[in-house]
Amino acid sequence: MITTKYGSYNGDSWEEYCQAFLKFKYIDYGYQEMIANTHGDLGIEGYTRTGLVFQCYCPDEDYESSKLYQSQTKKINTDLKKLIENKEELKKHLAGVKIEKWIFLTPKISNKELNKYCVNKAKKYRELDEMQDLLSDNFDILVHDEEYYLDSIGILKKISGQKLNVNVEEVKKEKIIEWKKCNTPAIEILKRKINHLFPGKSLESIEDKIDKLLDVYIKKYIKGQELVLTLCNSYPTLFERQQNIKNHIEENLEIEVLTTDLSPKALIDKTKKDYKTHLLADSIGEALDNIVIEEICDEAISSWLIECPLDFGG
């Protein structure tokens, strides 16, 4: 199983996703799946009538960068050899169309050397005499990860009733420490507000709790900011909806802070609940996994505590 920003896959589930979004994205290009239950896949999972062929690969484990690179290059090399071995059979399927691009679909790319490897392989195959009647003079090998097909994946998940997941890296302690060093004024504001969560307690008795809670809010803030940035880059429509809802809650929050009789903890809980309710009632709630919604809410609460809209006076 390999985990990316947008999901988790094994070999079978990745192949299913590939076939689904290729059929969706390339329907106007005459995409055809290469069924592998008789003579194998011939080195490709599918092809278009315009000279694009595709092969997909998902490793069995979530390898570190160097091992992932090794497994991907091994797979590329093995399947390219199948083009030579199965040339005559492939020509029957392609019906005179030469291969312009052999596209390797893999969930995650973690080493830029993979692109260089493909450039060199493409050059080698263009120069093979026995491949002149199968490969275009401009034959190229490309590597695509899931981000090339996010639009199609998002639509397909919505059609099938699935929700989008957005995975971002866990925030390490070193990153929290570095953030605190660079944001001293914000730390003081956040500490003051956290104090209000422990009414009637002396500073000495709750100092350890304050420090731990401080790190919790900073962690949620950093992780949430990365998640929202990913939404902005990959799903701009969802990001725009999320920002509109957040801005609406923030505007009302300024009035709520001035007029509420709620305790600081109750106000935080109510604010988060209101925000979550608005998200779930919107298209963004229909599209995103509940865990993602929860992390978006945590980002908002943390940012409002750090940046002032959510306050408790004095």
Side-chain angles (χ1 to χ4, degrees), residues 138-173:
N138 299 315
F139 174 71
D140 201 1
I141 298 171
L142 304 175
V143 183
H144 288 177
D145 60 19
E146 64 177 348
E147 293 193 2
Y148 283 81
Y149 302 94
L150 285 180
D151 55 344
S152 301
I153 292 174
I155 293 171
L156 290 167
K157 283 195 172 187
K158 185 173 182 180
I159 291 172
S160 63
Q162 299 181 57
K163 293 192 174 185
L164 293 167
N165 197 4
V166 181
N167 298 311
V168 296
E169 290 185 3
E170 285 299 319
V171 181
K172 295 180 180 179
K173 188 173 182 179

PDB file of all heavy atoms in Angstrom, residues 138-173:
ATOM      1  N   ASN A 138       9.325  10.918 -33.013  1.00  0.00           N
ATOM      2  CA  ASN A 138       9.343  11.776 -31.825  1.00  0.00           C
ATOM      3  C   ASN A 138       8.983  11.003 -30.549  1.00  0.00           C
ATOM      4  O   ASN A 138       8.591  11.597 -29.544  1.00  0.00           O
ATOM      5  CB  ASN A 138       8.357  12.935 -32.001  1.00  0.00           C
ATOM      6  CG  ASN A 138       8.710  13.812 -33.184  1.00  0.00           C
ATOM      7  OD1 ASN A 138       9.859  14.172 -33.378  1.00  0.00           O
ATOM      8  ND2 ASN A 138       7.707  14.141 -33.986  1.00  0.00           N
ATOM      9  N   PHE A 139       9.115   9.687 -30.598  1.00  0.00           N
ATOM     10  CA  PHE A 139       8.737   8.852 -29.472  1.00  0.00           C
ATOM     11  C   PHE A 139       9.324   9.374 -28.158  1.00  0.00           C
ATOM     12  O   PHE A 139      10.504   9.704 -28.075  1.00  0.00           O
ATOM     13  CB  PHE A 139       9.207   7.409 -29.703  1.00  0.00           C
ATOM     14  CG  PHE A 139       8.989   6.505 -28.520  1.00  0.00           C
ATOM     15  CD1 PHE A 139       7.713   6.103 -28.174  1.00  0.00           C
ATOM     16  CD2 PHE A 139      10.070   6.063 -27.750  1.00  0.00           C
ATOM     17  CE1 PHE A 139       7.502   5.267 -27.078  1.00  0.00           C
ATOM     18  CE2 PHE A 139       9.865   5.231 -26.660  1.00  0.00           C
ATOM     19  CZ  PHE A 139       8.579   4.829 -26.326  1.00  0.00           C
ATOM     20  N   ASP A 140       8.465   9.434 -27.124  1.00  0.00           N
ATOM     21  CA  ASP A 140       8.906   9.946 -25.841  1.00  0.00           C
ATOM     22  C   ASP A 140       8.332   9.084 -24.725  1.00  0.00           C
ATOM     23  O   ASP A 140       7.311   8.402 -24.900  1.00  0.00           O
ATOM     24  CB  ASP A 140       8.441  11.397 -25.671  1.00  0.00           C
ATOM     25  CG  ASP A 140       9.262  12.162 -24.639  1.00  0.00           C
ATOM     26  OD1 ASP A 140      10.208  11.577 -24.075  1.00  0.00           O
ATOM     27  OD2 ASP A 140       8.963  13.340 -24.419  1.00  0.00           O
ATOM     28  N   ILE A 141       9.003   9.101 -23.584  1.00  0.00           N
ATOM     29  CA  ILE A 141       8.548   8.385 -22.394  1.00  0.00           C
ATOM     30  C   ILE A 141       8.327   9.409 -21.289  1.00  0.00           C
ATOM     31  O   ILE A 141       9.234  10.180 -20.957  1.00  0.00           O
ATOM     32  CB  ILE A 141       9.575   7.332 -21.943  1.00  0.00           C
ATOM     33  CG1 ILE A 141       9.776   6.279 -23.047  1.00  0.00           C
ATOM     34  CG2 ILE A 141       9.137   6.663 -20.647  1.00  0.00           C
ATOM     35  CD1 ILE A 141      10.926   5.339 -22.779  1.00  0.00           C
ATOM     36  N   LEU A 142       7.132   9.429 -20.743  1.00  0.00           N
ATOM     37  CA  LEU A 142       6.772  10.390 -19.699  1.00  0.00           C
ATOM     38  C   LEU A 142       6.332   9.654 -18.442  1.00  0.00           C
ATOM     39  O   LEU A 142       5.853   8.520 -18.504  1.00  0.00           O
ATOM     40  CB  LEU A 142       5.636  11.294 -20.177  1.00  0.00           C
ATOM     41  CG  LEU A 142       5.875  12.070 -21.477  1.00  0.00           C
ATOM     42  CD1 LEU A 142       4.612  12.820 -21.872  1.00  0.00           C
ATOM     43  CD2 LEU A 142       7.047  13.026 -21.338  1.00  0.00           C
ATOM     44  N   VAL A 143       6.493  10.328 -17.311  1.00  0.00           N
ATOM     45  CA  VAL A 143       6.030   9.789 -16.029  1.00  0.00           C
ATOM     46  C   VAL A 143       4.972  10.730 -15.469  1.00  0.00           C
ATOM     47  O   VAL A 143       5.211  11.930 -15.329  1.00  0.00           O
ATOM     48  CB  VAL A 143       7.191   9.657 -15.019  1.00  0.00           C
ATOM     49  CG1 VAL A 143       6.684   9.022 -13.737  1.00  0.00           C
ATOM     50  CG2 VAL A 143       8.322   8.828 -15.596  1.00  0.00           C
ATOM     51  N   HIS A 144       3.815  10.183 -15.150  1.00  0.00           N
ATOM     52  CA  HIS A 144       2.725  10.964 -14.573  1.00  0.00           C
ATOM     53  C   HIS A 144       2.340  10.380 -13.224  1.00  0.00           C
ATOM     54  O   HIS A 144       2.144   9.168 -13.098  1.00  0.00           O
ATOM     55  CB  HIS A 144       1.490  10.939 -15.481  1.00  0.00           C
ATOM     56  CG  HIS A 144       1.636  11.743 -16.729  1.00  0.00           C
ATOM     57  ND1 HIS A 144       0.653  11.788 -17.701  1.00  0.00           N
ATOM     58  CD2 HIS A 144       2.632  12.554 -17.173  1.00  0.00           C
ATOM     59  CE1 HIS A 144       1.051  12.587 -18.697  1.00  0.00           C
ATOM     60  NE2 HIS A 144       2.245  13.056 -18.393  1.00  0.00           N
ATOM     61  N   ASP A 145       2.216  11.254 -12.208  1.00  0.00           N
ATOM     62  CA  ASP A 145       1.662  10.800 -10.936  1.00  0.00           C
ATOM     63  C   ASP A 145       0.189  11.200 -10.884  1.00  0.00           C
ATOM     64  O   ASP A 145      -0.368  11.717 -11.855  1.00  0.00           O
ATOM     65  CB  ASP A 145       2.458  11.357  -9.750  1.00  0.00           C
ATOM     66  CG  ASP A 145       2.454  12.886  -9.704  1.00  0.00           C
ATOM     67  OD1 ASP A 145       1.587  13.512 -10.338  1.00  0.00           O
ATOM     68  OD2 ASP A 145       3.337  13.453  -9.029  1.00  0.00           O
ATOM     69  N   GLU A 146      -0.453  10.969  -9.742  1.00  0.00           N
ATOM     70  CA  GLU A 146      -1.897  11.184  -9.646  1.00  0.00           C
ATOM     71  C   GLU A 146      -2.302  12.643  -9.865  1.00  0.00           C
ATOM     72  O   GLU A 146      -3.426  12.926 -10.276  1.00  0.00           O
ATOM     73  CB  GLU A 146      -2.414  10.723  -8.284  1.00  0.00           C
ATOM     74  CG  GLU A 146      -1.855  11.522  -7.129  1.00  0.00           C
ATOM     75  CD  GLU A 146      -2.412  11.112  -5.776  1.00  0.00           C
ATOM     76  OE1 GLU A 146      -3.395  10.364  -5.723  1.00  0.00           O
ATOM     77  OE2 GLU A 146      -1.849  11.567  -4.763  1.00  0.00           O
ATOM     78  N   GLU A 147      -1.375  13.590  -9.614  1.00  0.00           N
ATOM     79  CA  GLU A 147      -1.739  15.001  -9.717  1.00  0.00           C
ATOM     80  C   GLU A 147      -2.025  15.430 -11.157  1.00  0.00           C
ATOM     81  O   GLU A 147      -2.653  16.455 -11.379  1.00  0.00           O
ATOM     82  CB  GLU A 147      -0.653  15.867  -9.090  1.00  0.00           C
ATOM     83  CG  GLU A 147      -0.540  15.670  -7.582  1.00  0.00           C
ATOM     84  CD  GLU A 147       0.295  16.732  -6.900  1.00  0.00           C
ATOM     85  OE1 GLU A 147       0.758  17.660  -7.585  1.00  0.00           O
ATOM     86  OE2 GLU A 147       0.492  16.642  -5.672  1.00  0.00           O
ATOM     87  N   TYR A 148      -1.558  14.643 -12.146  1.00  0.00           N
ATOM     88  CA  TYR A 148      -1.876  14.953 -13.540  1.00  0.00           C
ATOM     89  C   TYR A 148      -3.355  14.696 -13.841  1.00  0.00           C
ATOM     90  O   TYR A 148      -3.872  15.182 -14.855  1.00  0.00           O
ATOM     91  CB  TYR A 148      -1.029  14.092 -14.471  1.00  0.00           C
ATOM     92  CG  TYR A 148       0.404  14.553 -14.617  1.00  0.00           C
ATOM     93  CD1 TYR A 148       1.360  14.243 -13.656  1.00  0.00           C
ATOM     94  CD2 TYR A 148       0.812  15.309 -15.718  1.00  0.00           C
ATOM     95  CE1 TYR A 148       2.679  14.665 -13.782  1.00  0.00           C
ATOM     96  CE2 TYR A 148       2.124  15.728 -15.850  1.00  0.00           C
ATOM     97  CZ  TYR A 148       3.051  15.409 -14.885  1.00  0.00           C
ATOM     98  OH  TYR A 148       4.353  15.827 -15.010  1.00  0.00           O
ATOM     99  N   TYR A 149      -4.028  13.937 -12.983  1.00  0.00           N
ATOM    100  CA  TYR A 149      -5.388  13.506 -13.291  1.00  0.00           C
ATOM    101  C   TYR A 149      -6.376  13.838 -12.165  1.00  0.00           C
ATOM    102  O   TYR A 149      -7.421  13.209 -12.052  1.00  0.00           O
ATOM    103  CB  TYR A 149      -5.390  11.987 -13.558  1.00  0.00           C
ATOM    104  CG  TYR A 149      -4.465  11.609 -14.693  1.00  0.00           C
ATOM    105  CD1 TYR A 149      -3.153  11.223 -14.434  1.00  0.00           C
ATOM    106  CD2 TYR A 149      -4.887  11.678 -16.017  1.00  0.00           C
ATOM    107  CE1 TYR A 149      -2.282  10.907 -15.475  1.00  0.00           C
ATOM    108  CE2 TYR A 149      -4.025  11.362 -17.059  1.00  0.00           C
ATOM    109  CZ  TYR A 149      -2.726  10.984 -16.782  1.00  0.00           C
ATOM    110  OH  TYR A 149      -1.863  10.681 -17.809  1.00  0.00           O
ATOM    111  N   LEU A 150      -6.039  14.835 -11.353  1.00  0.00           N
ATOM    112  CA  LEU A 150      -6.893  15.163 -10.215  1.00  0.00           C
ATOM    113  C   LEU A 150      -8.299  15.554 -10.634  1.00  0.00           C
ATOM    114  O   LEU A 150      -9.276  15.225  -9.954  1.00  0.00           O
ATOM    115  CB  LEU A 150      -6.269  16.295  -9.398  1.00  0.00           C
ATOM    116  CG  LEU A 150      -5.078  15.915  -8.513  1.00  0.00           C
ATOM    117  CD1 LEU A 150      -4.579  17.140  -7.768  1.00  0.00           C
ATOM    118  CD2 LEU A 150      -5.440  14.816  -7.533  1.00  0.00           C
ATOM    119  N   ASP A 151      -8.422  16.279 -11.748  1.00  0.00           N
ATOM    120  CA  ASP A 151      -9.754  16.684 -12.194  1.00  0.00           C
ATOM    121  C   ASP A 151     -10.615  15.464 -12.488  1.00  0.00           C
ATOM    122  O   ASP A 151     -11.769  15.373 -12.055  1.00  0.00           O
ATOM    123  CB  ASP A 151      -9.670  17.594 -13.416  1.00  0.00           C
ATOM    124  CG  ASP A 151      -8.884  16.984 -14.574  1.00  0.00           C
ATOM    125  OD1 ASP A 151      -8.149  15.999 -14.342  1.00  0.00           O
ATOM    126  OD2 ASP A 151      -9.001  17.489 -15.701  1.00  0.00           O
ATOM    127  N   SER A 152     -10.040  14.491 -13.165  1.00  0.00           N
ATOM    128  CA  SER A 152     -10.786  13.280 -13.506  1.00  0.00           C
ATOM    129  C   SER A 152     -11.070  12.438 -12.274  1.00  0.00           C
ATOM    130  O   SER A 152     -12.175  11.923 -12.095  1.00  0.00           O
ATOM    131  CB  SER A 152      -9.996  12.444 -14.523  1.00  0.00           C
ATOM    132  OG  SER A 152      -9.746  13.177 -15.699  1.00  0.00           O
ATOM    133  N   ILE A 153     -10.066  12.296 -11.391  1.00  0.00           N
ATOM    134  CA  ILE A 153     -10.249  11.502 -10.178  1.00  0.00           C
ATOM    135  C   ILE A 153     -11.350  12.104  -9.312  1.00  0.00           C
ATOM    136  O   ILE A 153     -12.203  11.392  -8.770  1.00  0.00           O
ATOM    137  CB  ILE A 153      -8.924  11.391  -9.391  1.00  0.00           C
ATOM    138  CG1 ILE A 153      -7.915  10.538 -10.175  1.00  0.00           C
ATOM    139  CG2 ILE A 153      -9.165  10.767  -8.027  1.00  0.00           C
ATOM    140  CD1 ILE A 153      -6.534  10.483  -9.541  1.00  0.00           C
ATOM    141  N   GLY A 154     -11.336  13.438  -9.187  1.00  0.00           N
ATOM    142  CA  GLY A 154     -12.352  14.104  -8.377  1.00  0.00           C
ATOM    143  C   GLY A 154     -13.757  13.867  -8.902  1.00  0.00           C
ATOM    144  O   GLY A 154     -14.678  13.560  -8.140  1.00  0.00           O
ATOM    145  N   ILE A 155     -13.932  13.986 -10.206  1.00  0.00           N
ATOM    146  CA  ILE A 155     -15.245  13.763 -10.817  1.00  0.00           C
ATOM    147  C   ILE A 155     -15.682  12.317 -10.646  1.00  0.00           C
ATOM    148  O   ILE A 155     -16.827  12.022 -10.298  1.00  0.00           O
ATOM    149  CB  ILE A 155     -15.216  14.158 -12.308  1.00  0.00           C
ATOM    150  CG1 ILE A 155     -15.029  15.667 -12.445  1.00  0.00           C
ATOM    151  CG2 ILE A 155     -16.497  13.718 -13.006  1.00  0.00           C
ATOM    152  CD1 ILE A 155     -14.767  16.132 -13.857  1.00  0.00           C
ATOM    153  N   LEU A 156     -14.755  11.381 -10.857  1.00  0.00           N
ATOM    154  CA  LEU A 156     -15.083   9.960 -10.749  1.00  0.00           C
ATOM    155  C   LEU A 156     -15.472   9.587  -9.323  1.00  0.00           C
ATOM    156  O   LEU A 156     -16.386   8.794  -9.104  1.00  0.00           O
ATOM    157  CB  LEU A 156     -13.898   9.109 -11.220  1.00  0.00           C
ATOM    158  CG  LEU A 156     -13.622   9.157 -12.724  1.00  0.00           C
ATOM    159  CD1 LEU A 156     -12.264   8.551 -13.037  1.00  0.00           C
ATOM    160  CD2 LEU A 156     -14.714   8.434 -13.502  1.00  0.00           C
ATOM    161  N   LYS A 157     -14.775  10.156  -8.342  1.00  0.00           N
ATOM    162  CA  LYS A 157     -15.115   9.863  -6.950  1.00  0.00           C
ATOM    163  C   LYS A 157     -16.496  10.413  -6.608  1.00  0.00           C
ATOM    164  O   LYS A 157     -17.280   9.778  -5.890  1.00  0.00           O
ATOM    165  CB  LYS A 157     -14.061  10.437  -6.007  1.00  0.00           C
ATOM    166  CG  LYS A 157     -12.783   9.610  -5.966  1.00  0.00           C
ATOM    167  CD  LYS A 157     -11.924   9.976  -4.775  1.00  0.00           C
ATOM    168  CE  LYS A 157     -10.754   9.012  -4.650  1.00  0.00           C
ATOM    169  NZ  LYS A 157      -9.986   9.213  -3.410  1.00  0.00           N
ATOM    170  N   LYS A 158     -16.792  11.591  -7.126  1.00  0.00           N
ATOM    171  CA  LYS A 158     -18.105  12.178  -6.861  1.00  0.00           C
ATOM    172  C   LYS A 158     -19.203  11.326  -7.477  1.00  0.00           C
ATOM    173  O   LYS A 158     -20.242  11.074  -6.857  1.00  0.00           O
ATOM    174  CB  LYS A 158     -18.167  13.605  -7.422  1.00  0.00           C
ATOM    175  CG  LYS A 158     -19.449  14.345  -7.079  1.00  0.00           C
ATOM    176  CD  LYS A 158     -19.384  15.790  -7.500  1.00  0.00           C
ATOM    177  CE  LYS A 158     -20.645  16.536  -7.104  1.00  0.00           C
ATOM    178  NZ  LYS A 158     -20.595  17.962  -7.505  1.00  0.00           N
ATOM    179  N   ILE A 159     -18.979  10.854  -8.699  1.00  0.00           N
ATOM    180  CA  ILE A 159     -19.962  10.013  -9.380  1.00  0.00           C
ATOM    181  C   ILE A 159     -20.207   8.727  -8.599  1.00  0.00           C
ATOM    182  O   ILE A 159     -21.328   8.251  -8.481  1.00  0.00           O
ATOM    183  CB  ILE A 159     -19.497   9.696 -10.822  1.00  0.00           C
ATOM    184  CG1 ILE A 159     -19.545  10.973 -11.682  1.00  0.00           C
ATOM    185  CG2 ILE A 159     -20.364   8.616 -11.452  1.00  0.00           C
ATOM    186  CD1 ILE A 159     -18.927  10.808 -13.051  1.00  0.00           C
ATOM    187  N   SER A 160     -19.122   8.160  -8.068  1.00  0.00           N
ATOM    188  CA  SER A 160     -19.224   6.879  -7.357  1.00  0.00           C
ATOM    189  C   SER A 160     -19.614   7.034  -5.888  1.00  0.00           C
ATOM    190  O   SER A 160     -19.717   6.051  -5.161  1.00  0.00           O
ATOM    191  CB  SER A 160     -17.889   6.126  -7.446  1.00  0.00           C
ATOM    192  OG  SER A 160     -16.862   6.852  -6.792  1.00  0.00           O
ATOM    193  N   GLY A 161     -19.821   8.287  -5.457  1.00  0.00           N
ATOM    194  CA  GLY A 161     -20.223   8.522  -4.081  1.00  0.00           C
ATOM    195  C   GLY A 161     -19.082   8.531  -3.084  1.00  0.00           C
ATOM    196  O   GLY A 161     -19.305   8.608  -1.875  1.00  0.00           O
ATOM    197  N   GLN A 162     -17.840   8.469  -3.578  1.00  0.00           N
ATOM    198  CA  GLN A 162     -16.681   8.527  -2.690  1.00  0.00           C
ATOM    199  C   GLN A 162     -16.307   9.979  -2.422  1.00  0.00           C
ATOM    200  O   GLN A 162     -16.644  10.865  -3.188  1.00  0.00           O
ATOM    201  CB  GLN A 162     -15.499   7.810  -3.328  1.00  0.00           C
ATOM    202  CG  GLN A 162     -15.734   6.333  -3.597  1.00  0.00           C
ATOM    203  CD  GLN A 162     -14.509   5.685  -4.208  1.00  0.00           C
ATOM    204  OE1 GLN A 162     -13.422   5.720  -3.645  1.00  0.00           O
ATOM    205  NE2 GLN A 162     -14.679   5.089  -5.369  1.00  0.00           N
ATOM    206  N   LYS A 163     -15.564  10.190  -1.334  1.00  0.00           N
ATOM    207  CA  LYS A 163     -15.132  11.531  -0.996  1.00  0.00           C
ATOM    208  C   LYS A 163     -13.619  11.647  -1.145  1.00  0.00           C
ATOM    209  O   LYS A 163     -12.884  10.678  -0.940  1.00  0.00           O
ATOM    210  CB  LYS A 163     -15.546  11.892   0.429  1.00  0.00           C
ATOM    211  CG  LYS A 163     -17.065  12.015   0.577  1.00  0.00           C
ATOM    212  CD  LYS A 163     -17.445  12.642   1.903  1.00  0.00           C
ATOM    213  CE  LYS A 163     -18.946  12.891   1.970  1.00  0.00           C
ATOM    214  NZ  LYS A 163     -19.334  13.622   3.200  1.00  0.00           N
ATOM    215  N   LEU A 164     -13.187  12.841  -1.497  1.00  0.00           N
ATOM    216  CA  LEU A 164     -11.766  13.092  -1.688  1.00  0.00           C
ATOM    217  C   LEU A 164     -11.046  13.157  -0.352  1.00  0.00           C
ATOM    218  O   LEU A 164     -11.534  13.753   0.601  1.00  0.00           O
ATOM    219  CB  LEU A 164     -11.554  14.415  -2.428  1.00  0.00           C
ATOM    220  CG  LEU A 164     -12.034  14.472  -3.878  1.00  0.00           C
ATOM    221  CD1 LEU A 164     -12.052  15.915  -4.356  1.00  0.00           C
ATOM    222  CD2 LEU A 164     -11.138  13.627  -4.773  1.00  0.00           C
ATOM    223  N   ASN A 165      -9.882  12.534  -0.332  1.00  0.00           N
ATOM    224  CA  ASN A 165      -9.023  12.631   0.841  1.00  0.00           C
ATOM    225  C   ASN A 165      -7.824  13.495   0.477  1.00  0.00           C
ATOM    226  O   ASN A 165      -7.364  13.483  -0.661  1.00  0.00           O
ATOM    227  CB  ASN A 165      -8.559  11.246   1.270  1.00  0.00           C
ATOM    228  CG  ASN A 165      -8.023  11.238   2.687  1.00  0.00           C
ATOM    229  OD1 ASN A 165      -8.063  12.258   3.375  1.00  0.00           O
ATOM    230  ND2 ASN A 165      -7.507  10.111   3.117  1.00  0.00           N
ATOM    231  N   VAL A 166      -7.341  14.252   1.423  1.00  0.00           N
ATOM    232  CA  VAL A 166      -6.147  15.077   1.209  1.00  0.00           C
ATOM    233  C   VAL A 166      -5.185  14.787   2.355  1.00  0.00           C
ATOM    234  O   VAL A 166      -5.457  15.154   3.506  1.00  0.00           O
ATOM    235  CB  VAL A 166      -6.484  16.582   1.162  1.00  0.00           C
ATOM    236  CG1 VAL A 166      -5.223  17.396   0.915  1.00  0.00           C
ATOM    237  CG2 VAL A 166      -7.526  16.874   0.095  1.00  0.00           C
ATOM    238  N   ASN A 167      -4.096  14.102   2.058  1.00  0.00           N
ATOM    239  CA  ASN A 167      -3.122  13.741   3.080  1.00  0.00           C
ATOM    240  C   ASN A 167      -1.943  14.703   3.042  1.00  0.00           C
ATOM    241  O   ASN A 167      -1.357  14.918   1.990  1.00  0.00           O
ATOM    242  CB  ASN A 167      -2.604  12.315   2.848  1.00  0.00           C
ATOM    243  CG  ASN A 167      -3.702  11.279   2.945  1.00  0.00           C
ATOM    244  OD1 ASN A 167      -4.468  11.287   3.894  1.00  0.00           O
ATOM    245  ND2 ASN A 167      -3.787  10.390   1.968  1.00  0.00           N
ATOM    246  N   VAL A 168      -1.609  15.271   4.174  1.00  0.00           N
ATOM    247  CA  VAL A 168      -0.398  16.086   4.281  1.00  0.00           C
ATOM    248  C   VAL A 168       0.471  15.486   5.378  1.00  0.00           C
ATOM    249  O   VAL A 168      -0.015  14.781   6.268  1.00  0.00           O
ATOM    250  CB  VAL A 168      -0.715  17.569   4.587  1.00  0.00           C
ATOM    251  CG1 VAL A 168      -1.481  18.203   3.439  1.00  0.00           C
ATOM    252  CG2 VAL A 168      -1.496  17.703   5.884  1.00  0.00           C
ATOM    253  N   GLU A 169       1.755  15.766   5.301  1.00  0.00           N
ATOM    254  CA  GLU A 169       2.693  15.180   6.247  1.00  0.00           C
ATOM    255  C   GLU A 169       2.396  15.632   7.680  1.00  0.00           C
ATOM    256  O   GLU A 169       1.994  16.768   7.919  1.00  0.00           O
ATOM    257  CB  GLU A 169       4.129  15.570   5.883  1.00  0.00           C
ATOM    258  CG  GLU A 169       4.635  14.911   4.606  1.00  0.00           C
ATOM    259  CD  GLU A 169       6.104  15.230   4.364  1.00  0.00           C
ATOM    260  OE1 GLU A 169       6.713  15.912   5.211  1.00  0.00           O
ATOM    261  OE2 GLU A 169       6.628  14.788   3.336  1.00  0.00           O
ATOM    262  N   GLU A 170       2.624  14.713   8.611  1.00  0.00           N
ATOM    263  CA  GLU A 170       2.495  15.070  10.017  1.00  0.00           C
ATOM    264  C   GLU A 170       3.559  16.109  10.375  1.00  0.00           C
ATOM    265  O   GLU A 170       4.672  16.078   9.844  1.00  0.00           O
ATOM    266  CB  GLU A 170       2.658  13.837  10.898  1.00  0.00           C
ATOM    267  CG  GLU A 170       1.444  12.916  10.891  1.00  0.00           C
ATOM    268  CD  GLU A 170       0.180  13.607  11.400  1.00  0.00           C
ATOM    269  OE1 GLU A 170       0.270  14.359  12.392  1.00  0.00           O
ATOM    270  OE2 GLU A 170      -0.884  13.420  10.780  1.00  0.00           O
ATOM    271  N   VAL A 171       3.204  17.015  11.247  1.00  0.00           N
ATOM    272  CA  VAL A 171       4.113  18.099  11.633  1.00  0.00           C
ATOM    273  C   VAL A 171       5.078  17.587  12.702  1.00  0.00           C
ATOM    274  O   VAL A 171       4.656  17.157  13.778  1.00  0.00           O
ATOM    275  CB  VAL A 171       3.328  19.308  12.166  1.00  0.00           C
ATOM    276  CG1 VAL A 171       4.286  20.434  12.548  1.00  0.00           C
ATOM    277  CG2 VAL A 171       2.322  19.781  11.119  1.00  0.00           C
ATOM    278  N   LYS A 172       6.357  17.636  12.394  1.00  0.00           N
ATOM    279  CA  LYS A 172       7.367  17.171  13.351  1.00  0.00           C
ATOM    280  C   LYS A 172       7.640  18.245  14.404  1.00  0.00           C
ATOM    281  O   LYS A 172       7.418  19.437  14.191  1.00  0.00           O
ATOM    282  CB  LYS A 172       8.648  16.815  12.610  1.00  0.00           C
ATOM    283  CG  LYS A 172       8.480  15.636  11.661  1.00  0.00           C
ATOM    284  CD  LYS A 172       9.781  15.300  10.947  1.00  0.00           C
ATOM    285  CE  LYS A 172       9.599  14.124  10.009  1.00  0.00           C
ATOM    286  NZ  LYS A 172      10.837  13.789   9.281  1.00  0.00           N
ATOM    287  N   LYS A 173       8.147  17.787  15.542  1.00  0.00           N
ATOM    288  CA  LYS A 173       8.402  18.688  16.670  1.00  0.00           C
ATOM    289  C   LYS A 173       9.359  19.811  16.282  1.00  0.00           C
ATOM    290  O   LYS A 173       9.201  20.954  16.713  1.00  0.00           O
ATOM    291  CB  LYS A 173       8.980  17.887  17.842  1.00  0.00           C
ATOM    292  CG  LYS A 173       9.087  18.696  19.126  1.00  0.00           C
ATOM    293  CD  LYS A 173       9.502  17.820  20.304  1.00  0.00           C
ATOM    294  CE  LYS A 173       9.551  18.639  21.592  1.00  0.00           C
ATOM    295  NZ  LYS A 173       9.920  17.796  22.762  1.00  0.00           N
TER     296      LYS A 173
END
